[in-house]
């Protein structure tokens, strides 16, 4: 009997060790993190219809240090597009490049700066993709520099009766595209002059904001307009996702 008790105790200890080891292994391998990421993705995917537009695209956005040389910027929202699909929101090749992640919904708003000299459309494309697909798309954009190609640009949202009334494809001066990997979202912004002038050589914001850049978009600070506004809308999105994920079910 004594030997049987000892054997049973040894088996219990070994079994407990295996269970603890499995749990610890799941922590170390990030399986718990995978589940959290999936929950975050699921929450983010519904924000386009569950969060007020002012939370994603505020009426006023402060851009402290966002302008050339660290100057401050203030952007005022002048138009909000009806939520829609993606068919006519991107140049054809960009639409094709984004196709693997699908288009759940597209939200867009157009802003102008304090002097109403510039206009910028910022967009949030809510995709149908899972974390792996978003990571794959982000890697492709990074490796192939798709965000820098002038034949893969987002289109502006022009609204009649506003400073952006003449903001069309030929008026695009600078742009930025960000494929998020922590949410099923592609964030972007595209900027131009409010007077409707055409731009023969648009420049990606990443190049236009560099010190010493001498192109017209760079000299006017239009790269800063696109990059600064996109960054702040993206931050608000992440904050909104975090708040929504933390709420008890």
């Amino acid at each position: 009997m004594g030997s049987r008790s000892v054997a049973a105790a040894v088996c219990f200890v070994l079994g407990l060790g295996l269970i603890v080891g499995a749990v610890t292994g799941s922590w170390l391998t990030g399986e718990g993190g995978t589940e959290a990421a999936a929950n975050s993705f699921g929450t983010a995917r519904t924000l386009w219809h569950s969060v007020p537009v002012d939370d994603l695209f505020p009426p006023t956005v402060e851009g402290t240090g966002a302008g050339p040389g660290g100057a401050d910027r203030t952007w005022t929202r002048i138009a909000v597009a009806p939520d829609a699909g993606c068919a006519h929101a991107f140049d054809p090749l960009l639409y094709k490049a984004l196709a693997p992640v699908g288009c759940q919904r597209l939200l867009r708003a157009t802003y102008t700066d304090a002097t109403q000299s510039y206009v910028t459309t910022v967009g949030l494309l809510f995709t149908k993709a899972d974390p792996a697909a978003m990571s794959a798309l982000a890697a492709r954009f990074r490796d192939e520099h798709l965000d820098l190609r002038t034949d893969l640009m987002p289109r502006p949202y022009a609204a009649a009766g506003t400073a952006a009334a003449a903001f069309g494809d030929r008026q695009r001066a600078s742009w930025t595209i960000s494929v998020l990997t922590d949410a099923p979202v592609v964030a972007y912004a595209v900027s131009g002059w409010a007077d409707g002038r055409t731009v023969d050589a648009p420049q990606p914001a990443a190049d236009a904001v560099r010190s010493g850049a001498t192109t017209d978009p760079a000299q006017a600070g239009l790269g800063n307009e696109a990059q600064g506004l996109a960054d702040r809308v993206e931050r608000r999105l992440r904050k909104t996702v975090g708040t929504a994920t933390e709420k008890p079910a």
Side-chain angles (χ1 to χ4, degrees):
M1 291 293 293
S3 60
R4 290 177 184 173
S5 298
V6 171
V10 170
C11 289
F12 173 77
V13 171
L14 289 175
L16 182 61
L18 290 173
I19 293 171
V20 172
V23 172
T24 304
S26 70
W27 290 342
L28 294 177
T29 57
E31 290 176 11
T34 301
E35 182 177 351
N39 290 337
S40 178
F41 260 61
T43 299
R45 203 183 309 279
T46 65
L47 290 181
W48 67 269
H49 65 76
S50 62
V51 173
V53 67
D54 286 355
D55 288 354
L56 297 176
F57 301 128
T60 302
V61 177
E62 297 296 335
T64 304
D72 295 340
R73 282 286 188 268
T74 298
W75 296 286
T76 300
R77 193 184 70 200
I78 56 176
V80 176
D83 56 272
C86 300
H88 305 293
F90 308 107
D91 280 354
L93 287 180
L94 178 56
Y95 181 75
K96 183 177 180 180
L98 295 172
V101 296
C103 177
Q104 181 81 14
R105 215 65 177 172
L106 176 64
L107 305 183
R108 295 176 293 169
T110 298
Y111 288 79
T112 188
D113 68 308
T115 66
Q116 295 196 357
S117 299
Y118 314 117
V119 285
T120 303
T121 293
V122 60
L124 295 172
L125 163 59
F126 289 81
T127 76
K128 301 177 180 179
D130 60 14
M134 292 302 294
S135 293
L137 183 65
R140 186 188 175 202
F141 265 71
R142 180 183 63 250
D143 296 343
E144 299 179 27
H145 307 292
L146 300 186
D147 56 331
L148 305 180
R149 287 176 45 171
T150 56
D151 56 348
L152 287 91
M153 284 198 290
R155 287 174 171 162
Y157 175 64
T162 72
F167 191 22
D169 288 355
R170 292 291 308 278
Q171 284 70 40
R172 293 176 293 185
S174 191
W175 77 99
T176 181
I177 303 173
S178 177
V179 180
L180 308 191
T181 56
D182 53 352
V185 175
V186 177
Y188 68 86
V190 56
S191 62
W193 280 275
D195 61 9
R197 75 183 72 177
T198 59
V199 179
D200 294 328
Q203 185 178 35
D207 293 336
V209 300
R210 288 178 180 169
S211 177
T214 59
T215 63
D216 289 343
Q219 292 292 302
L222 285 164
N224 298 82
E225 296 291 309
Q227 189 68 65
L229 191 51
D231 285 348
R232 280 149 184 83
V233 168
E234 187 176 318
R235 290 177 203 169
R236 289 188 68 91
L237 173 69
R238 284 195 166 99
K239 182 178 179 180
T240 302
V241 172
T243 301
T245 304
E246 291 169 2
K247 289 181 179 179

